[in-house]
Amino acid sequence: MDIDPAGSPIPHSSHWGAFSVLRHGNDIQIVPHPSDPDPASLLGNIPAALTHRARIATPMVRRGWLEHGPGSDHRRGRDEFVALPWPDALDLAASELKRVYGEHGGKAVFGGSYGWSSAGRFHHAQSQVHRFLNVLGGYVKSVNTYSSAAAAVILPHVIGSQESAGRENVSWHELATETEVVLAFGGLPLKNTSVSSGGTSQHLARGHLLAAHGRGAEFHLISPLRDDLPPEIEPRWHPIRPGTDVPLMLGIAHTLMAEGLHDRVFLDRYCIGYPEFEAYLSGRSDGQPKDAAWAAAICDLPADMILKLARQSAGKRTLVTCAQSLQRAEHGEQPVWMGVVLAAMLGQIGLPGGGFVYAMGSLANIGKPSLAVPLPTLPQGRNRVAELIPVARIADLLLNPGAEYDFNGRRLTYPDIRLVYWAGGNPFHHHQDINRLRQAFSRPDTVIVHDSAWTASARHADIVFPATITLERSDMGAAGNDPLLVAMHPVAEPFGLARDDYAIFSDLAERLGVAAVFTEGRSADEWLRHLYEPTRAALVGLGLEAPDFDAFWAAGELVLPTLPWDGGVVREFRNDPDHRKLPTPTGMVEIASDTIAGYGYDDCLGHPAWLPPREGVGSPLMRDFPLHLVANQPATRLHSQLDFGTTSVASKVKGREPVRIHPSDAGPRGIADGDVVRLFNHRGACLAGAVISEAVRPGVVQLATGAWYDPLDPAADGPMCVHGNPNVLTRDAGTSKLAQACTGQLTIVQLERFEGAVPPIRAFDPPAG
């Protein structure tokens, strides 16, 4: 569709909020949506996206692949690129797809995408690439997410789906009006509520937290970082050792049990497995009572504080919240499971504003009502390949074809991947142990990537197709828990020769003889009209205003109806446990699980338990690497998106990602505010800019994820990242045999002041070619 005339506000949307654009010559101004009470600062990154030097202007092919053909190649990420015309690059990609599918089938193709490249529902890269590969015969898929895979697997065994324990369980309104005590394990960080998949028109978290505080709700922040709750609600900060939330929960639970403060009626009526768990909690099964003194020694918090937390939580409308960060660590299933058990012992599960809620504060739209009508959604078709991997096992997949592994009670085998097709995502941001990932990406015959900019993933590809950004195309922005459907009008012409993912896949489909199936005879604009129709028809069915597509597009947005908040299946179970069972194996809250016990895993038992980490509290490795590194989500961008944007760049220290260090750790190392420092361990090293802060507990450093990987010497093995990507340091191992989830939140490091000439940042410079 045509670009709107200059001077008029152009409606658009992003994962971090709806907005409009004002064009002033070659410059643009971003204006937050007028209904948003707390717009995200990340909107400031958007203007740079249009013309930054990091943009990819033309199809590029890696020289080694062009000259020598497909095959494993350690030069990926180290090689030059050659610019090709679109027809030639498309011919090469189509020929290679035809070869791999013909010789090996879909089980030799990995379809990678993480779905965060656009808030638009049609130009949704994950849907586009999966639809395309399904038309060709299918692909090896990944399941779950880097953000939340451990919870996604453990929660259905214990209380229900991640949706029922998060999005549908406790609302922000209930927290503001009903909750008396919040035990916020990992906090409710407002920076994370800036973002939600598909976008948001209203950032409501801050207002609801302030309302709860004004009513007298008491917030307990259990985190090594003081700003994981906003200071204006005056939380009581309990600066716990990273990764020791389970011992603290056990110490609270032991106090409840020992002092008779646990809700025996609720445990008997709604739960199964409490006697087995109590045997562990009391020490009858292993000789070690999990009392407050035991917990205090592990998590480095006062025992009397643990006793007080238990007593203050009992008999009140208490909400136990568990942040996604807790389960992105070794044995990450345990804090989620133990959080449910703690809420069950308090008898609060299913009550308005009480019980357990997972991931509240992790996304903008969690805790908001669901829509009453369907959203526009591009169908992906049927995947005829059964093989899959847990999402964070991508390096294991590429490095170990034919190897067997455990996953949620199943014994699976890694297929032999010959071609990786990635669109809409940056695994060199999400994945851990980047040096190992580089080795993994050298193994396939061919890597094809769609990207708008020269991310590390694009640099490790063989064929790179330049993709448009949202500002350069028409789409519809929407999310399942936000009431605004946004007409995303284009703002600018595509950069260079960039094309929409749909156009790229359509041309490939034409070359492979499947265009009619992939496109169904529709242009991109015709797809928008087609996908809008189910939403419009549902509005008609409800007797509500239902403008046709042209009227919606001209208006720029449409307010959609929402469902009444009812607390979902957990509330139904609380109100009628005999007839409204939970979707667990027994229909009850499973404090102990016979199903999980039957798997026989040594790293995930049949009840929640404290399992010491290989790297962390009690680990011998901490003699050499005595600091805990918290590699959390950034406050200045979404993942690694638009790291070159104004908001992200402004936060950097001497061009590098900031690392927060407590004064007691900085002083003995001779580190001052603003110094460039080197973080290192047995896996790798990176540079960062020092920020001395008492907002981190002693013995902890915090370095957010998302700085674009920038190796000092790309040709070397295991090079230092000079820009501050913490995933050169994090461990690439699953949480346990149950979930095989990401463990990238925590690792251990040493830290020193960097001496010598500080290397330049080249992360945003195009590769040689």
Side-chain angles (χ1 to χ4, degrees), residues 452-540:
S452 62
W454 281 110
T455 63
S457 299
R459 295 170 192 267
H460 284 79
D462 299 309
I463 300 174
V464 181
F465 290 129
T468 54
I469 61 172
T470 68
L471 295 177
E472 298 163 348
R473 59 197 183 215
S474 302
D475 212 333
M476 294 178 286
N481 293 75
D482 188 85
L484 197 68
L485 179 64
V486 180
M488 297 170 62
H489 291 210
V491 173
E493 296 293 340
F495 179 83
L497 299 179
R499 302 180 67 193
D500 301 345
D501 294 311
Y502 180 68
I504 299 169
F505 287 129
S506 296
D507 275 359
L508 287 172
E510 183 70 36
R511 285 164 167 78
L512 293 165
V514 294
V517 180
F518 176 73
T519 68
E520 298 184 21
R522 297 187 184 96
S523 67
D525 288 350
E526 289 168 339
W527 267 109
L528 293 181
R529 295 175 180 275
H530 176 73
L531 298 179
Y532 175 77
E533 183 57 26
T535 303
R536 191 198 67 80
L539 292 171
V540 170

Side-chain angles (χ1 to χ4, degrees), residues 272-325:
I272 192 168
Y274 178 73
E276 295 94 319
F277 173 74
E278 188 179 271
Y280 168 76
L281 185 66
S282 65
R284 294 196 306 273
S285 63
D286 63 0
Q288 175 59 66
K290 313 307 180 297
D291 58 18
W294 169 85
I298 299 171
C299 59
D300 195 30
L301 294 174
D304 59 354
M305 183 277 297
I306 299 174
L307 295 170
K308 188 176 180 181
L309 268 182
R311 294 163 184 160
Q312 288 179 335
S313 301
K316 295 180 180 179
R317 188 59 55 89
T318 297
L319 181 62
V320 178
T321 73
C322 181
Q324 290 182 336
S325 58

Side-chain angles (χ1 to χ4, degrees), residues 749-761:
V749 298
Q750 182 54 285
L751 181 72
E752 63 185 11
R753 188 176 184 273
F754 183 74
E755 303 292 347
V758 178
I761 303 299

Side-chain angles (χ1 to χ4, degrees), residues 542-711:
L542 293 174
L544 300 175
E545 179 186 3
D548 64 19
F549 181 83
D550 290 330
F552 155 67
W553 195 258
E557 63 183 46
L558 176 63
V559 177
L560 301 177
T562 58
L563 297 171
W565 186 272
D566 61 7
V569 298
V570 176
R571 186 78 45 82
E572 290 178 349
F573 173 66
R574 175 78 189 217
N575 293 335
D576 187 0
D578 294 323
H579 301 101
R580 309 296 289 182
K581 298 289 188 181
L582 290 174
T584 64
T586 61
M588 303 178 76
V589 177
E590 299 211 7
I591 291 176
S593 167
D594 287 343
T595 301
I596 295 176
Y599 297 157
Y601 297 154
D602 58 357
D603 53 5
C604 189
L605 309 179
H607 56 76
W610 165 238
L611 302 170
R614 297 176 191 175
E615 298 186 7
V617 174
S619 167
L621 285 170
M622 292 203 76
R623 289 194 293 267
D624 295 323
F625 309 110
L627 299 173
H628 285 94
L629 169 63
V630 176
N632 61 349
Q633 293 296 326
T636 58
R637 59 187 171 266
L638 167 57
H639 300 147
S640 64
Q641 285 191 40
L642 305 183
D643 188 26
F644 50 71
T646 300
T647 302
S648 181
V649 169
S651 72
K652 295 183 185 287
V653 177
K654 294 182 178 175
R656 273 147 258 272
E657 194 67 16
V659 58
R660 291 195 292 177
I661 312 164
H662 193 274
S664 65
D665 297 312
R669 293 171 171 81
I671 296 171
D673 205 66
D675 283 346
V676 174
V677 297
R678 175 176 173 261
L679 296 87
F680 62 95
N681 62 16
H682 48 305
R683 278 181 290 274
C686 70
L687 300 184
V691 175
I692 312 304
S693 173
E694 293 186 347
V696 297
R697 69 162 274 154
V700 171
V701 294
Q702 178 265 320
L703 177 65
T705 61
W708 282 18
Y709 175 60
D710 192 358

